[in-house]
Amino acid sequence: MINRKIILFAFTLILFASCKKNYRCECTNENGSYYAGEIEDTKRKAKKRCAAIAPSPSTTCEIK
């Protein structure tokens, strides 16, 4: 009985971890921070997509 609960709990965590959601992408440079848009994807993919939109090496973009 305990094994079923553990398996169900693990499956639930995996299911929610892979859900697509809207993430806010914010970029920062020497002039300050600015909103760069929203990305609808999994958290891992949204982080990668947000970081990839940085227009210059001195700008960093990350999800909030």
Side-chain angles (χ1 to χ4, degrees), residues 28-30 54-60:
T28 306
N29 60 22
E30 62 276 354
S56 69
S58 64
T59 303
T60 57

Side-chain angles (χ1 to χ4, degrees), residues 23-26 39 43 46-47 50 61-64:
Y23 292 96
R24 180 182 171 100
C25 184
E26 190 172 294
I39 298 172
K43 188 171 185 176
K47 279 184 177 182
C50 182
C61 298
E62 50 189 41
I63 60 171
K64 299 289 180 177

Side-chain angles (χ1 to χ4, degrees), residues 1-2 4-5 7 12 16-17 19-20 24-25 31 33 36-37 40-41 44 49-50 53 57-58 63:
M1 191 71 169
I2 294 175
R4 285 184 181 176
K5 288 182 180 180
I7 291 171
T12 304
F16 283 112
C19 290
K20 288 186 178 183
R24 180 182 171 100
C25 184
N31 296 323
S33 297
E40 182 183 354
D41 216 329
R44 177 184 280 181
R49 288 176 56 193
C50 182
I53 65 169
S58 64
I63 60 171

Side-chain angles (χ1 to χ4, degrees), residues 4-19:
R4 285 184 181 176
K5 288 182 180 180
I6 292 172
I7 291 171
L8 182 61
F9 180 71
F11 179 75
T12 304
L13 284 178
I14 292 169
L15 180 66
F16 283 112
S18 64
C19 290

